[in-house]
Amino acid sequence: MSSPTSLEEYSNSGESTNKAPESGNSISPNNVNAHHYHNDDMNNFIMDNEYNDYEELRKSLIVKKRLSSKSKDESRLDRYQIDKNSLLRLPTEILLQIFHHLDRRDLYALLTVCKEIADLIIEILWFRPNMQNDGSFKRIKEVMELPRDKTHWDYRLFVKRLNLSFMTKLVDDELLGLFVGCPKLERLTLVNCAKLTRFPITKVLQNCERLQSIDLTGVTDIHDDIINALADNCPRLQGLYAPGCSNVSEEAIIKLLRSCPMLKRVKFNASNNITDECILVMYQNCKSLVEIDLHGCEQVTDLNLKRIFLELSQLREFRISNAPGITDKLFELIPEGFILEKLRIIDITGCNAVTDKLVEKLVSCAPKLRNVVLSKCMQITDASLRALSQLGRSLHYIHLGHCGLITDYGVSSLVRFCHRIQYIDLACCSQLTDWTLVELANLPKLRRIGLVKCSLITDSGILELVRRRGEQDCLERVHLSYCTNLTIGPIYLLLKSCPKLTHLSLTGISSFLRREITQYCRDPPPDFNEHQKSLFCVFSGHGVNQLRNYLNQVMEERTYQIDQGDIQALFHERRRRFLGGNNNARAAAGGDMDLDDDPINDDTIARRFGQLQQQMRADAAEAGGNNGLERFMLQDPAMADLNRDIFRGITEGDMGPDEMREHFQLLIRTHQQQRLQQQQQAAAATPTGRQRQANPQNAPQIDQTPVFPNAERAGQIIEEDEDVEMEQVDLFPRNTSP
């Protein structure tokens, strides 16, 4: 049942059991409207990092009550002979604390009791109108459309927080015009209200001397009218978010900065009218700034920004992008030993003149940085990552997209000291290999990984990431688009090991561009062309769960088919084909030798296949859970090469049960031959090997553990850089003893 919007509706509904007293303080509900904002909803939305909206309201009401005449209060109590046990004798602080814990229905009932209680409750209900759904939005609009002489209160006098960003499709100039004349308005949030024009916004700002914050993100019609209205009417302004201010003149911005000295947060984006002169006025007049966002302000240089970092001691966040005038001189005025104690976030995206020298200076003067964005700073190298590693536990967020000069060594030095990193983006860092994934696996709190267009990333890196991080991993978002060497098997294991994964991007990876898989991905953006749409493959939210369930089902079906197949019948069929002269099949099975003389005969293959299955199941039973098979494939290095081929055969193509069993038999046969060849070569290389070759009947079984395919490259890396320790390049350590 929806809540009533007026006391009259509430009384007629028969829900109110409280009757007004006979004294003159009672309120007739015939023409009184009220709307309640539920306190739980209030705590869910936070603006400008303020967490104590209700506490501020409560304190203001207490002050207002205390400012009233004490004699008038006493005379009122004597006049109406209020009983000593009456609720009205409680202090205002206690009453407000009680009201804070009441639900909507109780507050509406209390509004009909007496004027003193109603005066307190009505501000609680209206200081922040709740318009988060269609029903409440419609009811508030109906109340605001009533003539002011038809309501008991003028509700505009109570509004302090006005947030219209929940119902942006219904917000237009007419609706905003209903809130013209709110003298107590402190915060105005119009995020994504694209239908609004500058004229009603300007009218709402008239006489708003208490306005502290306004958010115009997504409003397209921002001109000098709005900025001048803020400068003329809002001297207490602390936060201004106007990212679409390209039409605002330099004069209007300078006027605002001079008229609002209490500014703390400023966001001007994509404007060529923000110049060095604006920056000069900013640090001269606004000494309390904690956040400056100048993304896309290409005319800004480091001429006056130097003074920002030197003189604004409270600065916490600084952002700028695509400004060619930002160079290594940005921090040159900061003396040695001077610490930017408050600075936590810095973003210099696309400032191509920046080099490692700036990053080294930044780390030395801001040792408590949490978020660092160096995306598209093309001159950044591993030296910057080694400098950033000095941030240690402070660093949580790092964005290095398009920094094509960084390598695995830089990522390794960063990760090994900054073990609290939660987000790392390395998109288009084309020199990174599987080694980077091995290093990232050591970050216990890592939630987001960006490796878009890192084409050297392979299945081995994903498998190592999964193996080292284990079950129930905390990863939430993984971006692997255009990592073209990936196949389905490792991604399947990644999905199984990461139950919290809510976003997985695999655009451009051919293994996933199949109708049975792409049916679970989200729709491509409407501005994509046909080629981009054909490559698009991104899974979000429920789509990730659908992909996970689909791959689980496929794996279970294929495993069941293989387990239930008649392997011996398959071997007899293949023997018949060999004896029938199928030279192609014979060559595919392992060479030109006769099967009758082949020491690796059908019985050997069947026995080997059975041993593998038994060993897998034994390890699965020992490890527990439903994915013991996958654990075995990851933990046993002897199965590393075979594992990738098996996954590729299972997940790609349309093999039937017979073809799948035949495929497995061929893989096992080839694998067994390779093992025997390695054993023979190893035996021949030893002094006693020659004697054993002379007497092969007494030769013992030699098991040589195969290495991962990247091991040779790891050895090359060691030879190239002798200063790197062995443990840094041992990408895939073996569990078995040498």
Side-chain angles (χ1 to χ4, degrees), residues 679-722:
Q679 293 171 8
Q680 293 171 2
Q681 294 173 0
T686 59
T688 59
R690 300 182 184 86
Q691 299 177 358
R692 292 177 179 176
Q693 282 184 330
N695 187 16
Q697 291 82 2
N698 297 327
Q701 183 78 12
I702 299 177
D703 290 329
Q704 181 178 357
T705 305
V707 296
F708 249 78
N710 286 352
E712 295 182 6
R713 182 181 181 282
Q716 294 174 2
I717 295 175
I718 296 177
E719 295 176 357
E720 293 173 2
D721 189 352
E722 298 178 354

Side-chain angles (χ1 to χ4, degrees), residues 432-490:
L432 300 183
T433 68
D434 292 335
W435 185 4
T436 289
L437 277 173
V438 173
E439 295 294 342
L440 294 181
N442 298 319
L443 296 174
K445 297 186 177 182
L446 188 62
R447 286 176 169 79
R448 301 185 180 186
I449 302 177
L451 292 169
V452 174
K453 292 187 178 180
C454 294
S455 57
L456 298 181
I457 299 296
T458 67
D459 289 346
S460 299
I462 302 297
L463 290 172
E464 278 299 298
L465 177 71
V466 174
R467 184 181 73 85
R468 290 170 179 260
R469 294 185 69 85
E471 299 291 328
Q472 301 298 314
D473 191 35
C474 61
L475 279 175
E476 297 174 0
R477 299 175 66 90
V478 179
H479 302 263
L480 297 170
S481 294
Y482 298 102
C483 294
T484 54
N485 292 321
L486 297 181
T487 60
I488 295 180

